[in-house]
Amino acid sequence: LAGTGHGLISRNLGETILSLESCLVPRLGWFVTLGTRIGLHEETVLSVAWICLLGSGCGLLMGIASRFSAILAWFLHLCAAKSGGFVSYGVDNFTTIGLFYLMLSPLPDRYSVDWRLRKSRLNDPQLLGFWLRLLQLHLCIIYFFSGLTKCLGSGWWNGSNIWRALIRPPFNIIDPEILVRWKYLFPVAGISICLLEIGYPFFIWNSKTRKIWLIFICGMHAGIGLAMGMYLFALIMIILNVTAFGPGLIRTEHARISLRPQEVIL
């Protein structure tokens, strides 16, 4: 994401196109411009940005300065994703979504360093249920319309989209001979994905079918990750689903916030 003459794809080109949409969209160019005014080179500014993004991610993982780390991670990731629009894809969008809800949700978590060392506590635990419900609704909308879009085309019904996805570089990690041998399963896989996604808001919301549908969805993403080498994408989607609908399935002795149709563990 370096400027003109550096990097795989010019950041300046991506940000110029981004400016046509809106000059208010966050981008790494803001930091580069600011750094130039104080005598810093572009490479130095970008390196500092990546270090800060890595540091904020580690802070979130350990629960150190949780709120600040969440805000910084969301903003820097959004800037990087928008500046690298030519090379970003779904995983960047879903990571931004996850960081956005994490930034707004009550922090810190009971297992964080902030909770244990600084004795920080949630001011209003009920807000946790509100933001969790919002994430659940967001995922339901995403999956439903994703499944609906797939159903409108023939490629998912006859399996041709599965075939094209598996033979397209750089996702063609499975030997073509194996794909040809199992080509009769492609229509089944395509229809199954359509049904899983379009049925997501109906079956994941029902407490009786939530567990099995969550397992199916996580299995689908794990399969896609293994078959196409999209391990990070699969991990992000599994984390989002388990975060949204997993807590009500885990029974512990910890205090709970009652939420219908599920419970949220504090």
Side-chain angles (χ1 to χ4, degrees):
L1 292 179
T4 304
H6 303 280
L8 181 62
I9 295 179
S10 172
R11 176 183 51 78
N12 292 341
L13 175 60
E15 293 186 356
T16 299
I17 297 176
L18 186 63
S19 296
L20 298 177
E21 300 178 9
S22 174
C23 61
L24 300 178
V25 178
R27 65 203 69 186
L28 292 174
W30 290 355
F31 300 106
V32 174
T33 301
L34 181 61
T36 302
R37 292 181 179 179
I38 59 177
L40 296 177
H41 294 291
E42 178 185 10
E43 292 79 4
T44 303
V45 175
L46 293 178
S47 297
V48 171
W50 300 134
I51 293 173
C52 290
L53 181 57
L54 177 61
S56 60
C58 293
L60 280 175
L61 185 63
M62 295 182 291
I64 300 175
S66 303
R67 180 69 62 192
F68 175 77
S69 296
I71 295 174
L72 183 62
W74 169 78
F75 185 73
L76 289 178
H77 184 272
L78 180 62
C79 289
K82 292 302 181 180
S83 294
F86 286 117
V87 293
S88 63
Y89 65 112
V91 66
D92 300 295
N93 296 329
F94 283 105
T95 302
T96 302
I97 290 172
L99 290 173
F100 176 77
Y101 284 110
L102 184 60
M103 174 185 67
L104 297 177
S105 63
L107 294 171
D109 183 81
R110 64 179 299 129
Y111 299 107
S112 66
V113 174
D114 288 340
W115 183 288
R116 296 176 180 273
L117 297 184
R118 298 170 54 188
K119 306 301 181 182
S120 300
R121 296 295 183 268
L122 301 180
N123 294 326
D124 188 1
Q126 295 295 333
L127 284 176
L128 179 60
F130 171 77
W131 291 113
L132 184 61
R133 180 67 77 237
L134 207 58
L135 176 60
Q136 292 172 344
L137 291 172
H138 199 159
L139 288 178
C140 286
I141 293 172
I142 289 173
Y143 277 107
F144 176 77
F145 284 102
S146 175
L148 183 61
T149 302
K150 290 181 174 67
C151 290
L152 295 178
S154 61
W156 291 94
W157 296 100
N158 58 26
S160 60
N161 282 356
I162 300 289
W163 168 262
R164 284 194 291 266
L166 293 175
I167 64 173
R168 178 182 178 182
F171 309 116
N172 54 336
I173 63 176
I174 300 180
D175 192 294
E177 294 184 1
I178 298 178
L179 296 178
V180 172
R181 191 178 307 166
W182 294 95
K183 63 180 180 180
Y184 301 105
L185 293 179
F186 292 166
V188 177
I191 295 173
S192 298
I193 291 175
C194 290
L195 294 178
L196 280 174
E197 292 189 351
I198 203 169
Y200 185 92
F202 306 103
F203 292 98
I204 202 75
W205 208 260
N206 190 315
S207 59
K208 296 180 180 179
T209 56
R210 183 179 305 128
K211 184 175 182 179
I212 187 65
W213 217 257
L214 182 61
I215 293 174
F216 284 157
I217 287 293
C218 291
M220 178 189 74
H221 286 298
I224 293 173
L226 293 174
M228 301 179 64
M230 301 172 67
Y231 308 115
L232 180 59
F233 195 9
L235 179 62
I236 293 297
M237 296 309 300
I238 291 173
I239 289 175
L240 284 175
N241 277 279
V242 173
T243 300
F245 293 100
L249 303 176
I250 303 173
R251 304 297 178 181
T252 69
E253 297 180 356
H254 295 155
R256 301 170 186 273
I257 299 175
S258 179
L259 270 181
R260 292 183 176 85
Q262 70 173 33
E263 295 176 336
V264 179
I265 303 173
L266 283 178

